[in-house]
Amino acid sequence: MTSLLQVLLLTSAWGSIAVLLIAMARPLLKRLGGAAVVYRSWWLLPLALLAPLLPVPAVAVIEAAPVRAFGTVLTTPLLPADAPLWPALLVAVWLAGAVGVAVVQIRAQRRFMQAMGPLSPRSDGSWQASADPGLPALVGVLEPRIVVGPDFDLRFSVAERDLVLQHERSHRAHRDHWANLAVAVLRCVFWFHPLLPWATRRFLCDQELACDARTVDSHPALRRLYASTLLKAQLVHPVAPMACHWRSQPMLKERIAMLKQNKRKALPWVSGQVVVVGLCIGLCSMAWASQGGAGTPSIGFEAEPVPAGSAETVGAQVINTTAPKYPTAAFEQGVSGKVDLRVEVGADGRVTDVRVLSATPAGVFEDAAVTSARAWTFKPALRDGKPVASALKIPVTFQMNDEAPAP
């Protein structure tokens, strides 16, 4: 539970940095490379989310000191510390929100599909709907279809229809429908993020601007016709979360203004690409390297001596111990702690039970310490020369050092 929360917080932090960088870089990228380069800069967001999750090189871990001092049987029963409930509650809230957002998006997509009615194929490769809930649009993910409204032939001329279809084919060729699916998934996972609504709106706008630019760049003489086609279309808000809509009233002025710009020269366009690549490499490198900035982990454990109950009793002695594995999440966060264990040793020298007496911080190191302790073996305690069962109190410390250990 705690590890999942840490992953969400870590990726949310780097996602926020990525969104802010994109917002600040947009004016420069727009001047250098136009709408296509601005749209391409959104690769920074998924890369920044994935970079902190990539594995880091293995770091040497200090071997634990051997267990030296052991006492006799503990007679006072001790109970393990209870794990806190708040991580589980937070995970439950996050999961409920993610499922809720997913349900809302699926229902919206289903309503849009049902509102189109039956589809019939057209000779130009597109599909004609029986109703118009916000068409033309590229609909679907696995088998994307270009769907037009029932009055498509009446509303647009032959040249205008060709431009609209080229626009939607450009969406399909550049896999924009997959990008919209990725946005829908991010909206489910990071539904709590305050910057996500703005980032989603801006991403979809940049997607349409880039598609407009790709369509008219191959036909510069048709910019005016393309603008008039945008104005002729009935303008409504898109209602399907996973569809590439031709209509987009909120950004109509921005799309018309983009059409007035001349085609970018090669050198500034290349400069914009270099800026985007530099941002991706720089931010992702920092996000990945941040995992190893907490120091070097060391683990030590040594039993506390307990006064002997009788002179004839000899405490258990260690035969084999292995150091616990430092928890990945604690290592990434630079967290240190201590776990006090009660280890039950049988008359055969094997561990019969391990319980947590106390842990600081709670819910971080207990599993690693208990898992390691169950694999230890001992020379059993002796009473009157005969092996007997015993219990030992063993503190296990997990420490992050500022400097690397000596070889």
Side-chain angles (χ1 to χ4, degrees):
M1 297 295 182
T2 305
S3 300
L4 177 59
L5 293 177
Q6 290 175 343
V7 168
L8 288 175
L9 291 176
L10 181 63
T11 53
S12 296
W14 285 107
S16 300
I17 296 175
V19 171
L20 293 176
L21 281 177
I22 293 172
M24 291 187 293
R26 286 188 80 260
L28 174 62
L29 296 176
K30 189 175 181 180
R31 288 196 298 268
L32 292 177
V37 175
V38 174
Y39 180 52
R40 197 167 288 118
S41 68
W42 284 100
W43 273 105
L44 182 61
L45 180 57
L47 293 177
L49 294 175
L50 294 176
L53 305 181
L54 296 178
V56 296
V59 180
V61 178
I62 299 177
E63 290 295 334
V67 181
R68 293 193 295 267
F70 291 94
T72 56
V73 180
L74 296 177
T75 57
T76 304
L78 297 171
L79 299 177
D82 292 334
L85 295 178
W86 64 265
L89 293 177
L90 288 179
V91 169
V93 171
W94 167 78
L95 185 60
V99 172
V101 174
V103 170
V104 170
Q105 293 188 99
I106 292 174
R107 292 182 62 183
Q109 185 75 16
R110 186 171 298 176
R111 284 196 301 266
F112 180 81
M113 300 290 289
Q114 292 175 349
M116 291 190 302
L119 303 180
S120 56
R122 291 167 50 91
S123 59
D124 53 16
S126 63
W127 294 74
Q128 190 154 16
S130 304
D132 187 359
L135 301 172
L138 180 66
V139 182
V141 176
L142 297 179
E143 297 181 358
R145 298 177 176 181
I146 300 174
V147 183
V148 299
D151 58 346
F152 182 65
D153 294 330
L154 299 176
R155 182 183 303 177
F156 301 101
S157 65
V158 175
E160 291 171 341
R161 292 199 299 269
D162 184 61
L163 286 176
V164 172
L165 294 177
Q166 286 187 41
H167 176 96
E168 298 302 333
R169 292 189 188 112
S170 180
H171 273 308
R172 183 168 58 190
H174 286 79
R175 304 295 189 270
D176 288 340
H177 51 290
W178 286 108
N180 291 346
L181 177 61
V183 170
V185 173
L186 289 178
R187 291 179 65 183
C188 296
V189 177
F190 298 98
W191 58 267
F192 55 89
H193 202 293
L195 294 179
L196 187 60
W198 177 88
T200 300
R201 292 192 299 268
R202 191 64 262 176
F203 171 81
L204 295 177
C205 289
D206 289 341
Q207 183 184 88
E208 287 302 319
L209 290 172
C211 193
D212 290 339
R214 291 193 300 263
T215 304
V216 300
D217 281 349
S218 58
H219 305 286
L222 300 180
R223 290 176 180 267
R224 183 180 296 275
L225 178 63
Y226 195 89
S228 64
T229 305
L230 286 174
L231 292 172
K232 180 184 288 188
Q234 178 184 354
L235 304 176
V236 295
H237 291 275
V239 293
M242 288 174 283
C244 300
H245 293 265
W246 163 263
R247 308 172 181 179
S248 51
Q249 182 179 14
M251 55 177 299
L252 178 60
K253 294 175 63 176
E254 190 173 359
R255 294 178 73 178
I256 297 297
M258 187 277 299
L259 294 175
K260 296 180 180 179
Q261 299 174 359
N262 295 325
K263 190 173 182 179
R264 301 290 176 178
K265 296 182 179 180
L267 183 59
W269 185 86
V270 171
S271 301
Q273 304 291 330
V274 171
V275 172
V276 172
V277 173
L279 286 174
C280 293
I281 294 177
L283 183 62
C284 293
S285 298
M286 289 189 293
W288 177 77
S290 66
Q291 302 177 71
T296 304
S298 64
I299 303 172
F301 48 91
E302 182 177 352
E304 296 179 353
V306 179
S310 66
E312 293 78 13
T313 301
V314 179
Q317 298 179 10
V318 64
I319 295 179
N320 180 36
T321 60
T322 56
K325 182 179 179 182
Y326 213 101
T328 303
F331 169 69
E332 294 174 352
Q333 299 296 323
V335 178
S336 300
K338 178 181 178 182
V339 180
D340 289 329
L341 298 178
R342 185 178 195 266
V343 180
E344 302 278 353
V345 181
D348 58 355
R350 297 182 180 181
V351 176
T352 58
D353 187 33
V354 180
R355 289 190 293 168
V356 178
L357 306 180
S358 63
T360 306
V364 179
F365 298 105
E366 292 95 318
D367 290 343
V370 170
T371 301
S372 178
R374 291 186 185 279
W376 298 344
T377 55
F378 300 85
K379 183 178 180 181
L382 300 177
R383 177 177 296 169
D384 299 328
K386 297 180 179 180
V388 294
S390 61
L392 308 168
K393 180 182 179 182
I394 304 178
V396 183
T397 58
F398 296 77
Q399 182 65 43
M400 294 301 300
N401 301 324
D402 293 334
E403 298 180 357

